[in-house]
Amino acid sequence: MESERKAMLILAVGIALLFESVSAQSVSSIISKYFFNTILNAADSSCAVKNFYAYDAFIQAANAYSGFGTTGTSDDGKRELAAFFAHVTQETASLCYIEEIDGAKKAFYDESSTQYPCVAGKTYFGRGPFLLTWNFNYGPAGNDIGFDALSYPEKVAQDATISFKTAVWFRMKQRNCHSAITSGQGFGATIQAVSGAIECTGRSPDIVNTRIKYYKNYCLKLGVDPGSNLSC
């Protein structure tokens, strides 16, 4: 009996230490400023807004959303953050762009969205690390972050912390890419969530492969196996 009690105690301590190590994990302990800057430095030197995105702004945004990069095991957190930056790299050309190319020429109004109606004179083209688009995304993103994004969508391209918050919000609450990694569905499920209608129909295999390349590269840098189900 005594040996059994000792074995149970050792097991309980081991489990407690495991959960403590996972809960103590922070985004900043996984994503260093050096890692962040390797992405930023890969952008073309001619990028007009190359210095807009900042490491501290990303960390503030990440910390605003409980569970982002810290859910599950240490490896789960690393994979989630590798996936996040893989999509960010693809969408912004290594943090080069803050607005969609020729985006101002596109209105992206959905007049059927009565809950998040368009504001006269405002446009809802892609802005930020995940290129937030459409009034039905700007509205709830602003509500969650704490600003009137329907009336002032341009703030996503003016405030780096707000900009990163829209990307984390989109991942955590709008498309739920968060659970795709933590539940073991794989990186491919995040591609489906982010841009499945365009890229997962066979029309853009090169873009899919580029996202996978970025993801695998970031997993390597973070010291984690990328897992299975990488493509959509």
Side-chain angles (χ1 to χ4, degrees):
M1 287 294 290
E2 184 63 27
S3 62
E4 290 181 1
R5 281 197 293 269
K6 287 182 178 179
M8 291 295 292
L9 178 61
I10 292 172
L11 178 61
V13 170
I15 292 174
L17 289 174
L18 172 63
F19 279 100
E20 181 180 356
S21 65
V22 171
S23 62
Q25 177 175 276
S26 66
V27 172
S28 60
S29 71
I30 300 174
I31 301 298
S32 66
K33 189 171 185 178
Y34 175 81
F35 177 94
F36 183 90
N37 285 341
T38 60
I39 300 173
L40 190 65
N41 292 337
D44 193 284
S45 59
S46 64
C47 295
V49 294
K50 184 175 179 180
N51 295 322
F52 172 79
Y53 295 110
Y55 175 73
D56 290 344
F58 163 69
I59 294 300
Q60 288 182 45
N63 290 340
Y65 286 87
S66 177
F68 175 64
T70 61
T71 300
T73 66
S74 174
D75 284 354
D76 287 332
K78 290 177 181 178
R79 291 190 188 100
E80 179 172 13
L81 291 166
F84 176 84
F85 278 107
H87 293 306
V88 166
T89 301
Q90 172 61 34
E91 298 299 325
T92 65
S94 296
L95 299 173
C96 177
Y97 298 108
I98 189 172
E99 295 183 338
E100 180 181 3
I101 297 174
D102 294 328
K105 298 178 181 178
K106 308 167 188 176
F108 287 108
Y109 298 138
D110 181 2
E111 295 181 355
S112 68
S113 180
T114 56
Q115 185 177 4
Y116 302 108
C118 303
V119 174
K122 297 297 179 177
T123 54
Y124 305 100
F125 59 87
R127 298 180 178 92
F130 263 35
L131 295 183
L132 189 71
T133 310
W134 294 102
N135 49 302
F136 53 74
N137 285 321
Y138 273 85
N143 288 346
D144 195 73
I145 294 168
F147 78 106
D148 185 356
L150 290 175
S151 297
Y152 304 100
E154 60 275 6
K155 278 193 174 183
V156 179
Q158 295 172 346
D159 185 305
T161 302
I162 286 177
S163 195
F164 270 119
K165 281 183 178 181
T166 64
V168 180
W169 167 85
F170 187 85
R171 181 175 184 80
M172 295 290 288
K173 296 192 174 184
Q174 189 73 340
R175 293 297 175 88
N176 210 14
C177 299
H178 171 68
S179 65
I181 295 294
T182 58
S183 66
Q185 296 176 60
F187 180 67
T190 71
I191 303 175
Q192 181 70 52
V194 170
S195 192
I198 298 173
E199 297 176 21
C200 296
T201 57
R203 298 181 339 199
S204 304
D206 290 346
I207 297 178
V208 171
N209 289 334
T210 298
R211 290 185 192 273
I212 295 171
K213 180 190 74 173
Y214 288 137
Y215 173 66
K216 291 171 70 175
N217 180 42
Y218 295 154
C219 282
L220 179 64
K221 289 182 176 180
L222 295 176
V224 65
D225 186 281
S228 56
N229 303 319
L230 300 185
S231 181
C232 59

